[in-house]
Amino acid sequence: MFSLPPLPDLPLSIVDENELKQLPQSLPLVYPRFFVPALEDKPQDPIIRTLQEQNRRKAEEERLSQKLNIRLVTAITKQDEDTEQTLSGDASSGTWQNLSLSWDELTQRSTPTVDTVPSAFVSEQKTKTFEAVVKHLLPQPIRPTKALKVSELREILQTLVFGDSSSDVPWNPLTEQFGSPEDAPLMVVDGLTPDSTQGLISQFIAIGTCLRRLETFALYRRAMRNCHEMHAIVHCVHVTLTYVRNQMAENLPSEQLLEGHARYAAYCDLLQSLARFCRRGYESTPPYYPLPETPQGLLDHRAKVQVARGIKSLNILRHARPEHPVCQYVLGEQEQVTGWVWTAQDVEHRASWLERHLTVLNKRVHLWQAGTEERRTLAADQFPSPGIPVTIEETPLDSADPTPTVDEGAKYKPEISDFRKFDLEPGAHLKKVVDPVEKEVSKLRRLIQSFPEHLPAGSPTLFYLIQTTVVDPLAAHCRLLSSSLLDLHFNDLHLLTHFDVLRRFMLFGDARFVANLRAALFDEGNFTDDPSLDGSGMQPSLDMQIWGVGLNRRLSTKGEWPPDGYSLSHSLRSVIYRALDGDDDERADDSREGERKVLQEAEWRMGFIIRKDHDEGEDEQVSWADPMSIQALGFLRLQYRPPSTLDLLINADVMDKYQRVFDFLLCLLRADSVARANFATCFNKTPSKTNPFSTNPKAEHLSRRINQHMQSFLSALIAYIFDSAIGSHWTTFTRRLQSLRRDTPSESPQTETDERDLHDVFSIADYHSETLDKILTACLLKSRHQAAGAALRKPLALILALGKLLRDAHTLRIGREGAFVKLTQLDKAWGAAILNLIKHLQSLDERGIAKRSSVADLRELHALAGGAGSAPLGPGDLLLRLDPYNWYSKATTNR
C-alpha cells in the first residue's frame, strides 16, 4: 500500500556499530482497519450473514464485559424496550424512527471479518457498553438515590405544572421555591443518570415556582388599594397566567419525557420573563425589589419629569380655571387613551387617534387663549370630539363557538309582543354571559399564535415602539398642559404684575414707598432739634435720652420699645396706600384691566405685621428690645398674600427670602437716615444748631472727616445693593419672563449669562427662587456668609454710634472732653471695621475682579461694576466700589 524512502548512507564516524546491530531488520506489518471482502462465487444470503454477525458481536461484548469486570445485561427485557421507546419516542408522538430493514441497510450493517481490530476508545463502543463503563468508572454521588418509574415522575411533573407541591418536591415558604430537602435522596429515572433526571425536573420546578410567585403577587396586589396602572398590570398578569394554565392543561406531561421537556420550554421562558418583570424572578429570593406603583418606573428620567409636571399642571388648571378646554372631559376620549393593544393595527389606530386628539385640543386651547370671557364659554363647543375610531376587531374572537340563534317563536302584534317569551325554551331569551378574562385570554392566544417566529429585519425595538406610541404622545400632551398653564399665569393671573408688586415693596423698588416708609419710621432732622417741637407732646427725659437714634418718636407714645401694634398701625396705616395711589391712572387702558385689579387687591393683600419670636436658625442673641441696635426693627415684617393659584411661584419659602432682603434694606434705610442727620449736625451753620464740637477745632474737623468717610461708604454700599446685587439679577429675571410671554417656550431666547431653559411654570418657580438666592448671596445674607454679613453690619452700627455721640454731646449728657475721646475711639473702630470688611470681601472675590483691575477713572469702574450689558460681579463689585485704590489698606498701615 505504501513504502518508506531508503535510509541515507551515514558516515561510519557518526554511526556506532552497536546501534547498527539494534536496528530492526524488517518493519512490522500494518493491517487495514477495514476492508470489503470479496464475494464468493455462489449465491449470497445477506440476511443470514447479518444474523450470524450479530451473534458474533454479542459474544465479543460478553468477552469485553468480563474483561472489565462489569456486570452487563445482554438480554433486552420488555422494560428496556419500554424505556428505549420512552427516550426515543414513537410515531404517534410525532417522532420518526426507522425500524424497517432493507438490503442496503443490511449491507451497511455488515461488519468486517474477524481480522478487523476493534476500536480502543470506549466512546466508540455500543451505547449500552458506554453507559455501563461510565456507571462503573465515575464516582457515585454521596447522596442516596431514589429510583422512580416514568409514571411516578410524570405525576410529579403534572403537580408542578399546576403550581402545587408534592411529597417529593415540597414548597418552601421561606424561599418561596419548590425543591427537595438537602438530605433527601436524589430522584433517578430508569435509563437516565441523576444529572439528567435533575435537569429534567429543574425546568418544571422553575415553572411551578414562577407560577406560584405570580399568583401570590396578583392576590397580594388585589387586596391593596391600587392605582389604575397597577390594576392594569395585575390584570395582565392574571390574564397571562390563565392562558398559560389553559395551554399546559391541554398538553400535560406524558411518558415521553424528552418531548415534554422541549414542549414546556416556551412556557418556562414566558413565566420567567413575567416573573422578572414583577421583580419576582426565579433566581431572586425574598424580600423582593418593589414594583413601581405607576408606569413612570418604565420611563426614562426625562419622561418621568414631564409626566409629573403634566399632572401638576392639570391639577393647577382645574383649580384655577375648571372651564379650560384641557380640563374638559369629552365622552369617549378616556376610553381611547387607555386600553389594551394587541396587534400592529391596534397600535396604528391608537397613534392615529392620539394625533387627531392633540390637533383638536390644540385648536381648542388657541381659541380659548385668543377669546374673551364670553367667547371662551363657546370654545368647548366649537370643535367636536375627534370621535371614536372604527372597531379594530372586524371578526369575532370565538368564531369556532358562535352564539346560537334563538327561535323567537310565533309572530305577535306589537302591543302583545312581550308574550313571545313564553314560546321560547327556558333561558333561551337570556344573553350569553362572556367572562371578560376569557375574552382577554382569547386575544392573547390569537396574538401568540399569529406572532411570527422571527421578526423582520425592519421591525422596531420595544424601546422605539414605546417611545413613538406612548412616550411621544404623552410628552406632547404634557407640553400642551404646561403651555396652557403658562399662558394662564401670564395673561389671566398677571404673574408679572405680582412680581412687580414684590419688587416695588419688598425690594424697595418704589421710590414713593421708600419715602413714605422713611417718613413713618425715621427722623431726618439733625440732633440739635428740640424734641418738644415735633408735635408729639413728649418732653426731653431719660426715655428720650435712650431712644433709638434715627427712630421716629411717633412710633410709640409711651417711649417704650418695641412699640405696640396700635402705635405701629397708626404710623404705617397709609404707607402702602399712598404708594399705590396714582397707579390706576398709569394703567387706564382697557387692555390693562387685569393689572389694575391686581394693584387694587395689593392694598389688602400686603400689610405690616409684628412677629414675636425669632425664626428658626436666626441668632436669638439679636435683641429687638434695644432701640440702639441696628436690627431694632427686626420684629417688623411686610407680608404679601398672593392668590392661591400662585402658590407654586410665590410660596412661604420664597416669601421668607424676600423678608430677609427687606430686613436688610430696612437696616440700610435707617443707617442712611442717621447719616443724613449726622451730616446736618456736623455741617450746620445755624448759630443755635451748630456742631457740638464747634468749640474744639480739632474735634470738629475729626467729626466732619468721619462723617464724610461714612457718607462715602454708605453711598457706595447703596449703589451696589440697588444696582448690582438686586438690580442686575432682577432685570435679567424680568427680561427672560417678558421674552417668554411674547414668544412660545421653545422660541424663547436665552442670554449668555443665563442658559436656563424656561418652558413651564415649574422652571419659572425654580428660576425665581434661584434669583432670590443670588440676591441674598450678593447682599451677604446667606448662612455661609455669616461672618462677612456681620462685618458688613458693623459699619452701619458705627454710623448709629456717631449719631448717638452727637446727640449726647449736644444734650450735655457727656462732657466735651469725654465726647472727643469717644470720637477718637470711633475713628479707630471705623478704620478697623472697614479693613475687616475688605478682608472678607477679598476672600469672597472668587473671580479675582479686584486683583485684575487697576481702575484709572470712574468710567472704567462703572464698566466693570454694573455697566449696561455686563454680568454681575458679586462681592468683587462691592470691593471695587468701597476701596478702588486700596486707600483704606494704606491708611490703616500708616496709622
Side-chain angles (χ1 to χ4, degrees):
M1 296 180 63
F2 60 89
S3 62
L4 295 176
L7 294 175
D9 296 334
L10 299 178
L12 296 178
S13 60
I14 299 178
V15 182
D16 191 4
E17 295 181 358
N18 295 328
E19 294 179 357
L20 291 175
K21 295 179 180 180
Q22 295 178 359
L23 292 177
Q25 299 300 324
S26 62
L27 295 175
L29 297 178
V30 178
Y31 297 97
R33 297 295 301 274
F34 65 92
F35 65 94
V36 178
L39 296 179
E40 298 179 359
D41 189 12
K42 62 180 180 179
Q44 303 294 321
D45 192 353
I47 298 178
I48 299 301
R49 287 187 55 192
T50 301
L51 295 177
Q52 292 176 354
E53 185 61 28
Q54 289 180 354
N55 295 333
R56 188 194 65 79
R57 295 199 61 178
K58 288 180 180 180
E60 185 68 20
E61 291 177 358
E62 291 179 358
R63 182 183 63 81
L64 182 61
S65 299
Q66 293 176 359
K67 185 176 181 181
L68 295 176
N69 195 16
I70 296 176
R71 185 179 180 182
L72 182 64
V73 180
T74 57
I76 301 177
T77 60
K78 184 179 184 302
Q79 181 179 359
D80 295 330
E81 296 176 354
D82 295 340
T83 304
E84 188 173 4
Q85 183 180 4
T86 301
L87 296 176
S88 59
D90 54 5
S92 61
S93 60
T95 303
W96 179 82
Q97 183 179 7
N98 186 11
L99 300 178
S100 61
L101 297 177
S102 62
W103 291 102
D104 296 335
E105 178 71 16
L106 293 174
T107 302
Q108 293 176 1
R109 293 187 179 184
S110 61
T111 57
T113 59
V114 294
D115 296 333
T116 302
V117 179
S119 174
F121 298 99
V122 180
S123 59
E124 296 182 2
Q125 305 300 322
K126 291 282 291 185
T127 304
K128 289 293 184 179
T129 304
F130 175 72
E131 292 180 358
V133 173
V134 169
K135 290 180 180 180
H136 178 75
L137 297 179
L138 292 182
Q140 298 297 324
I142 301 177
R143 292 174 55 181
T145 59
K146 179 182 179 181
L148 294 177
K149 297 181 179 180
V150 177
S151 58
E152 295 175 348
L153 181 61
R154 182 186 59 188
E155 294 179 0
I156 295 175
L157 299 184
Q158 290 180 357
T159 304
L160 290 174
V161 162
F162 290 103
D164 297 332
S165 60
S166 61
S167 58
D168 295 316
V169 187
W171 171 259
N172 190 345
L174 298 179
T175 60
E176 295 189 5
Q177 189 174 6
F178 286 104
S180 302
E182 295 182 357
D183 55 349
L186 293 176
M187 292 179 289
V188 181
V189 181
D190 295 340
L192 295 178
T193 62
D195 294 338
S196 302
T197 306
Q198 295 301 320
L200 180 64
I201 298 176
S202 61
Q203 182 192 52
F204 290 88
I205 289 179
I207 292 175
T209 300
C210 295
L211 197 63
R212 176 73 71 89
R213 289 182 178 182
L214 290 173
E215 288 178 349
T216 306
F217 166 77
L219 294 176
Y220 170 75
R221 297 303 310 188
R222 281 185 173 182
M224 299 177 62
R225 189 173 182 179
N226 301 317
C227 58
H228 297 289
E229 294 81 6
M230 182 56 66
H231 178 74
I233 292 176
V234 174
H235 177 71
C236 178
V237 171
H238 179 64
V239 170
T240 307
L241 289 180
T242 304
Y243 164 76
V244 174
R245 281 181 174 276
N246 295 342
Q247 292 297 114
M248 291 191 301
E250 297 176 359
N251 302 276
L252 291 176
S254 61
E255 295 185 356
Q256 310 297 330
L257 300 180
L258 297 182
E259 180 186 357
H261 183 274
R263 185 171 61 249
Y264 274 78
Y267 304 135
C268 183
D269 295 340
L270 177 59
L271 290 175
Q272 289 192 19
S273 301
L274 187 59
R276 283 192 295 268
F277 173 80
C278 298
R279 305 294 194 271
R280 282 161 172 77
Y282 177 70
E283 300 82 4
S284 60
T285 56
Y288 305 108
Y289 187 79
L291 186 68
E293 294 292 335
T294 62
Q296 296 180 16
L298 307 177
L299 307 177
D300 56 5
H301 176 72
R302 185 176 181 180
K304 289 180 183 179
V305 174
Q306 286 183 340
V307 172
R309 291 188 172 184
I311 294 174
K312 292 180 181 179
S313 301
L314 182 59
N315 293 333
I316 297 175
L317 279 171
R318 286 175 175 174
H319 175 68
R321 290 290 187 273
E323 69 277 6
H324 198 276
V326 297
C327 303
Q328 299 297 320
Y329 174 79
V330 180
L331 185 62
E333 289 185 354
Q334 185 176 1
E335 288 75 6
Q336 295 300 321
V337 174
T338 59
W340 294 94
V341 291
W342 296 97
T343 62
Q345 187 180 7
D346 295 356
V347 175
E348 293 176 359
H349 277 281
R350 186 62 50 85
S352 175
W353 188 91
L354 287 174
E355 184 179 358
R356 289 185 286 116
H357 171 73
L358 291 175
T359 302
V360 173
L361 193 57
N362 268 299
K363 293 181 180 179
R364 295 178 184 172
V365 171
H366 288 313
L367 181 63
W368 166 275
Q369 295 174 355
T372 59
E373 293 293 338
E374 292 77 10
R375 294 176 58 187
R376 286 178 176 179
T377 56
L378 304 176
D381 300 332
Q382 181 70 21
F383 294 95
S385 172
I388 301 176
V390 296
T391 304
I392 297 177
E393 300 169 356
E394 299 180 357
T395 58
L397 294 175
D398 301 328
S399 57
D401 187 17
T403 304
T405 58
V406 179
D407 186 8
E408 298 183 356
K411 301 297 182 181
Y412 290 87
K413 295 182 179 181
E415 56 271 13
I416 57 174
S417 60
D418 293 339
F419 287 97
R420 70 174 183 272
K421 297 180 180 179
F422 297 98
D423 297 338
L424 304 177
E425 297 180 358
H429 64 288
L430 299 178
K431 295 182 179 179
K432 182 180 179 181
V433 180
V434 180
D435 187 4
V437 177
E438 292 297 333
K439 185 178 180 180
E440 298 295 336
V441 169
S442 62
K443 293 181 180 180
L444 180 59
R445 183 185 298 108
R446 290 180 55 190
L447 172 65
I448 295 178
Q449 292 177 355
S450 61
F451 204 82
E453 183 177 357
H454 300 286
L455 292 176
S459 300
T461 61
L462 181 60
F463 173 80
Y464 179 78
L465 188 62
I466 294 177
Q467 186 72 25
T468 54
T469 60
V470 178
V471 177
D472 289 347
L474 190 62
H477 192 77
C478 291
R479 288 194 297 269
L480 180 60
L481 291 173
S482 299
S483 61
S484 301
L485 183 61
L486 194 63
D487 178 80
L488 178 68
H489 277 76
F490 279 142
N491 299 326
D492 293 2
L493 302 180
H494 304 284
L495 177 63
L496 295 180
T497 307
H498 287 278
F499 284 155
D500 181 64
V501 172
L502 293 173
R503 170 72 172 91
R504 291 174 56 185
F505 293 94
M506 301 295 295
L507 302 181
F508 284 15
D510 191 340
R512 287 182 297 178
F513 172 73
V514 175
N516 295 331
L517 187 63
R518 184 195 297 269
L521 295 178
F522 310 114
D523 284 334
E524 297 183 359
N526 58 39
F527 299 113
T528 60
D529 293 336
D530 187 359
S532 62
L533 300 177
D534 60 1
S536 63
M538 298 182 62
Q539 298 297 327
S541 61
L542 181 62
D543 293 336
M544 292 308 303
Q545 297 300 334
I546 63 174
W547 183 255
V549 178
L551 296 177
N552 196 330
R553 302 181 182 95
R554 297 187 182 91
L555 293 179
S556 177
T557 58
K558 301 179 182 179
E560 60 183 10
W561 193 264
D564 55 6
Y566 175 78
S567 300
L568 284 176
S569 63
H570 179 74
S571 302
L572 304 176
R573 181 179 302 169
S574 58
V575 171
I576 299 176
Y577 177 77
R578 289 198 301 268
L580 293 173
D581 188 20
D583 288 341
D584 294 342
D585 298 336
E586 298 177 1
R587 295 174 172 83
D589 190 5
D590 294 340
S591 61
R592 309 183 70 178
E593 177 65 26
E595 299 180 9
R596 291 201 304 269
K597 184 178 179 181
V598 173
L599 295 176
Q600 292 174 359
E601 294 178 351
E603 297 180 2
W604 57 269
R605 290 188 182 276
M606 180 169 289
F608 289 95
I609 61 174
I610 298 176
R611 58 175 178 172
K612 299 181 180 180
D613 300 327
H614 290 80
D615 292 339
E616 183 179 359
E618 190 176 11
D619 187 5
E620 296 184 359
Q621 295 180 356
V622 177
S623 176
W624 304 326
D626 184 10
M628 284 301 303
S629 173
I630 190 63
Q631 297 175 333
L633 294 174
F635 63 90
L636 190 63
R637 298 182 68 96
L638 183 60
Q639 188 180 34
Y640 183 70
R641 296 183 178 275
S644 58
T645 52
L646 295 177
D647 289 342
L648 177 65
L649 294 163
I650 309 176
N651 49 35
D653 181 60
V654 169
M655 291 305 302
D656 179 69
K657 296 177 181 179
Y658 275 109
Q659 185 61 41
R660 292 165 63 184
V661 180
F662 177 80
D663 292 342
F664 175 74
L665 296 179
L666 207 58
C667 297
L668 194 63
L669 184 62
R670 182 186 179 186
D672 181 61
S673 300
V674 174
R676 294 184 182 187
N678 293 343
F679 182 85
T681 302
C682 292
F683 293 91
N684 199 336
K685 301 298 183 180
T686 305
S688 59
K689 301 180 180 180
T690 59
N691 190 334
F693 300 102
S694 58
T695 58
N696 188 348
K698 187 176 181 180
E700 183 179 13
H701 174 72
L702 182 59
S703 65
R704 291 182 177 180
R705 183 171 63 83
I706 295 175
N707 186 43
Q708 289 178 350
H709 290 174
M710 291 182 176
Q711 194 68 37
S712 175
F713 164 79
L714 200 59
S715 299
L717 179 60
I718 292 176
Y720 164 75
I721 293 297
F722 288 99
D723 293 344
S724 181
I726 297 177
S728 60
H729 294 100
W730 190 265
T731 301
T732 303
F733 172 69
T734 53
R735 285 178 180 175
R736 288 295 311 279
L737 294 187
Q738 290 173 357
S739 62
L740 183 64
R741 181 183 181 181
R742 291 190 301 268
D743 306 324
T744 59
S746 59
E747 299 174 355
S748 178
Q750 297 181 3
T751 61
E752 296 181 357
T753 59
D754 188 3
E755 298 179 355
R756 173 180 294 275
D757 181 20
L758 300 180
H759 52 275
D760 54 17
V761 293
F762 304 99
S763 58
I764 293 178
D766 297 337
Y767 187 31
H768 183 207
S769 179
E770 291 183 8
T771 300
L772 294 177
D773 288 336
K774 293 178 180 178
I775 293 176
L776 291 174
T777 301
C779 296
L780 305 180
L781 298 177
K782 301 290 286 185
S783 58
R784 64 176 180 271
H785 299 150
Q786 186 175 1
L792 180 60
R793 290 190 296 270
K794 182 63 176 179
L796 301 180
L798 292 177
I799 294 176
L800 270 62
L802 177 61
K804 183 178 183 300
L805 181 60
L806 293 176
R807 188 184 65 179
D808 292 344
H810 174 71
T811 58
L812 301 180
R813 191 169 182 264
I814 185 174
R816 298 297 174 89
E817 295 297 331
F820 178 70
V821 174
K822 288 191 174 182
L823 186 63
T824 305
Q825 295 175 353
L826 184 62
D827 181 37
K828 295 180 180 179
W830 176 261
I834 295 298
L835 184 59
N836 184 34
L837 176 60
I838 289 175
K839 290 181 179 179
H840 282 285
L841 293 178
Q842 288 175 349
S843 64
L844 295 176
D845 187 15
E846 299 176 354
R847 298 174 58 185
I849 297 173
K851 296 180 181 179
R852 291 187 288 106
S853 61
S854 56
V855 181
D857 53 11
L858 294 178
R859 290 179 298 177
E860 185 177 353
L861 172 63
H862 177 74
L864 286 173
S870 62
L873 303 181
D877 186 1
L878 179 58
L879 187 60
L880 282 175
R881 294 174 184 270
L882 293 180
D883 194 15
Y885 302 103
N886 297 326
W887 184 87
Y888 279 102
S889 301
K890 296 178 182 178
T892 306
T893 304
N894 295 332
R895 292 180 187 178

